[in-house]
Amino acid sequence: MGKRPPITNRVRELREEHGKMSQAALGEAVGVTRHTIIAIEQGRYSPSLETAFRIARLFGVGVEDVFGWEGK
């Protein structure tokens, strides 16, 4: 198993705050699959910059309100 990327996220929390949006609905809204959203939420995959912005804009927050950097 590969090393996890040092990026944290609040995607699941934001989905739940926004009417418990499903992973499939979020994926469709930002142009990725449900499996990609699952991998992002579990910290196994770092989204592209474009996808990160799409997710943040969908929730009406900045990218740094969704994604963070863990460590140095």
Side-chain angles (χ1 to χ4, degrees), residues 12-55:
R12 182 181 198 138
E13 177 184 339
L14 289 166
R15 269 192 317 102
E16 291 179 0
E17 288 176 6
H18 286 79
K20 296 189 177 188
M21 175 186 276
S22 71
Q23 293 165 326
L26 175 58
E28 184 174 329
V30 300
V32 299
T33 68
R34 178 178 70 90
H35 295 286
T36 298
I37 297 299
I38 291 169
I40 291 169
E41 287 184 358
Q42 293 177 345
R44 294 185 291 112
Y45 176 75
S46 297
S48 69
L49 187 55
E50 180 179 344
T51 299
F53 271 99
R54 287 181 187 275
I55 291 170

